[in-house]
Amino acid sequence: MTEIRGIIFDKDGTLFDFAATWEAWAESFLLRICDNDTERAAQAGAVIGFDLHTRSFSRDSIVIAGTAQEVATALAPYFPELPMPDLLATLNEEAAKAPQAEAVPLIPLLTDLRARGLKLGVATNDAQVPARAHLNGAGVSGYFDFIAGFDSGHGGKPAPGQLLAFCADTGLEPGTVVMVGDSTHDLHAGRAAGMRTVAVLTGLADTATLSPLADVVLPDIGHLAAWLDAQA
């Protein structure tokens, strides 16, 4: 089997627990753009698959795997008074402040992966500025050789542009890289790039949804080391 030389991670639902992070963001963002009108905020939340009253996302929410631009586009008809650039800027401002809950302690995990000689990257459908803010807040930006948001010039997932850019930056062949993510968008991107794919269950998708697209489904990224050892 080809040696694994790099890992590229999704961010939300993979490095960070999806629900713990983005439920707080959705509530804060919706109330802000609705001037604390809870009825209007609840209606807007329904558009993006978020129930304001239960503070929970539906499994088909656009927020799970969509880009920030796609979320803003879905909301735009409900906020005609807000130009799209302002709506997107507000979304990204609130996203940058979203409290991040690490899926597992990240520094020990990333330290171990770097010690194995692996190149590491992040490919997220979040915008680059909040993505870097989240990684900086966790103190882990420096562990990554490559960080790309949907607006970094490589497109967003499920297209493979971000993943292929990671390979170009690091000099790795796609077949030596593993894509790790919690959504079908992540896994489709990995397959399209010619990478192995690892699914984790710290997002909202279940094993039945992810397993057809994954080489393995793990409970969380804390199980990566054991899986890597089994590939040697």
Side-chain angles (χ1 to χ4, degrees):
M1 185 175 291
T2 304
E3 178 187 7
I4 295 172
R5 300 182 59 199
I7 301 177
I8 186 159
F9 294 91
D10 170 55
K11 178 173 68 72
D12 303 311
T14 303
L15 295 174
F16 301 100
D17 182 272
F18 182 87
T21 294
W22 291 100
E23 287 166 358
W25 164 82
E27 181 179 42
S28 177
F29 167 69
L30 290 168
L31 289 174
R32 175 178 171 182
I33 61 172
C34 294
D35 294 321
N36 290 313
D37 181 335
T38 55
E39 182 176 351
R40 189 183 186 197
Q43 292 171 348
V47 174
I48 59 172
F50 179 73
D51 187 320
L52 184 69
H53 302 299
T54 62
R55 297 181 78 250
S56 61
F57 285 98
S58 62
R59 289 188 181 274
D60 61 352
S61 168
I62 191 175
V63 177
I64 296 171
T67 67
Q69 181 71 56
E70 289 170 338
V71 174
T73 298
L75 288 170
Y78 298 86
F79 298 94
E81 73 279 12
L82 283 176
M84 174 61 77
D86 292 351
L87 181 59
L88 185 58
T90 303
L91 187 155
N92 285 334
E93 286 171 12
E94 289 297 325
K97 297 186 291 185
Q100 299 299 298
E102 297 178 16
V104 302
L106 291 178
I107 290 178
L109 170 68
L110 297 173
T111 299
D112 173 65
L113 296 178
R114 296 291 298 195
R116 295 168 181 259
L118 296 170
K119 298 290 187 181
L120 304 178
V122 175
T124 176
N125 277 352
D126 198 359
Q128 182 163 309
V129 169
R132 286 190 173 273
H134 297 158
L135 296 170
N136 287 335
V140 298
S141 293
Y143 289 87
F144 295 102
D145 302 284
F146 176 90
I147 299 170
F150 85 92
D151 54 354
S152 299
H154 313 297
K157 299 168 290 184
Q162 294 172 323
L163 281 59
L164 295 175
F166 169 68
C167 292
D169 273 18
T170 58
L172 299 179
E173 291 296 324
T176 69
V177 177
V178 176
M179 171 70 209
V180 183
D182 69 295
S183 76
T184 56
H185 273 35
D186 300 323
L187 305 179
H188 278 301
R191 288 286 175 90
M195 298 176 177
R196 275 181 269 186
T197 53
V198 171
V200 291
L201 299 175
T202 39
L204 298 185
D206 58 17
T207 299
T209 300
L210 299 173
S211 59
L213 297 168
D215 293 289
V216 65
V217 179
L218 302 176
D220 56 53
I221 54 175
H223 291 74
L224 266 177
W227 180 79
L228 288 168
D229 289 341
Q231 308 312 300

